[in-house]
Amino acid sequence: MTVPDIIIAVDGYSSTGKSTLAKMIASRFSLLYLDSGALYRGVTLFARENGLIDKDSNIDLPALEKALEILDLHFVQTTEGSLTHIGRRCVEKEIRSLEVANQVSPISAVPFVRAFVDNKLHEAGAAGRVVMDGRDIGTTVFPNAGLKIFMTASVEVRTQRRFDEMVAKGGNPDFEEVKKNLLDRDWIDSHRETSPLSRADDAFILDNSEMTLGEELAWVEGIIRGRFGILE
Ligand code: DC
């Protein structure tokens, strides 16, 4: 099945499997996959490493704003997918740590940080044929996206997924701590002033609490067929 030159926006709560689905869609339809959360995580890592955010998440806003003017945060496309870099350094592993996860929501609530990331996403997605996941892709970044999906799943299922992911990476997470991090992020993400997490009116809702990956992909294919009148 061939899809038109569209942007597909996959938004939703933390650990609902947005990136897994978005990557599957990208591979199934030969689209470029871009992870907008990775850019917020990249800014957070940078702020942590340069003393621009303290352990209580107080941010040195003037210094961060100045630093973003020259921060070279970008994706490098490789056979393993799109990898986040700061300058020539690949930071893909560091941006997935619990320390970064715990501070990314306050950083991503800062309006000039959102403008910085939106700018990068617009550049990367300008040519279309992109599937992008995040919190506000269908509402703010690409409100004219050709297809919008909003993902949700139960808190228990989401915590278990995130927990398993961290164990698989060699971590030793505490289930309740992982759950608290998810709930805190949900709250901050949905209550911030600048482009909070919310479903676009024209987004299709996907609750995958009880679905396999194969079922999710079949669901997306069905939506795409219906939406674009594809008969094959
Ligand atoms: O998808 P993720 O967990 O990697 O995202 C990390 C954080 O970035 C998340 O807590 C909220 C923020 N984010 C955002 O505010 N807007 C986006 N489009 C993507 C992520």
Side-chain angles (χ1 to χ4, degrees):
M1 184 180 8
T2 315
V3 294
D5 285 352
I6 50 165
I7 291 174
I8 300 183
V10 181
D11 288 306
Y13 293 99
S14 297
S15 294
T16 43
K18 296 185 297 293
S19 67
T20 306
L21 180 66
K23 281 179 196 162
M24 279 200 308
I25 296 174
S27 133
R28 172 74 178 85
F29 301 112
S30 306
L31 304 175
L32 177 67
Y33 164 64
L34 294 174
D35 170 5
S36 65
L39 296 180
Y40 288 105
R41 287 169 180 269
V43 174
T44 306
L45 178 73
F46 173 81
R48 285 176 55 80
E49 291 184 341
N50 290 279
L52 303 177
I53 183 167
D54 69 15
K55 60 175 177 28
D56 299 320
S57 295
N58 298 305
I59 307 166
D60 183 343
L61 292 169
L64 180 60
E65 187 166 20
K66 186 102 195 89
L68 291 190
E69 284 172 19
I70 51 160
L71 176 63
D72 179 16
L73 176 65
H74 60 275
F75 294 117
V76 173
Q77 304 307 328
T78 71
T79 47
E80 292 165 52
S82 140
L83 302 179
T84 314
H85 280 63
I86 294 180
R88 295 172 59 174
R89 170 180 168 219
C90 177
V91 292
E92 204 47 46
K93 184 156 181 276
E94 292 86 337
I95 63 171
R96 311 287 164 194
S97 69
L98 192 57
E99 290 76 19
V100 167
N102 280 334
Q103 294 196 307
V104 63
S105 282
I107 289 277
S108 62
V110 176
F112 66 74
V113 172
R114 300 205 71 80
F116 170 84
V117 169
D118 286 359
N119 206 7
K120 303 231 167 252
L121 295 173
H122 283 143
E123 274 170 27
R129 293 206 71 77
V130 163
V131 51
M132 208 175 269
D133 73 352
R135 303 292 188 291
D136 63 341
I137 307 303
T139 49
T140 304
V141 184
F142 287 109
N144 297 324
L147 177 67
K148 301 177 188 177
I149 298 170
F150 189 83
M151 293 183 68
T152 169
S154 75
V155 174
E156 291 302 321
V157 167
R158 291 194 290 137
T159 306
Q160 190 65 53
R161 285 181 188 151
R162 181 84 189 110
F163 181 89
D164 293 346
E165 208 175 278
M166 294 168 96
V167 169
K169 283 182 187 159
N172 181 24
D174 174 76
F175 192 86
E176 289 307 317
E177 197 187 328
V178 174
K179 186 173 177 176
K180 181 174 180 314
N181 171 264
L182 272 188
L183 292 174
D184 285 352
R185 282 210 281 158
D186 282 356
W187 200 90
I188 303 179
D189 293 345
S190 343
H191 289 83
R192 65 173 173 241
E193 248 171 63
T194 314
S195 66
L197 166 65
S198 70
R199 181 177 73 83
D201 291 340
D202 51 351
F204 292 89
I205 297 178
L206 174 61
D207 181 335
N208 67 1
S209 304
E210 311 268 331
M211 285 169 92
T212 64
L213 293 180
E215 287 168 342
E216 286 183 53
L217 191 58
W219 179 90
V220 173
E221 287 184 4
I223 299 263
I224 290 180
R225 281 203 178 85
R227 179 98 192 206
F228 299 104
I230 299 170
L231 299 174
E232 55 185 282

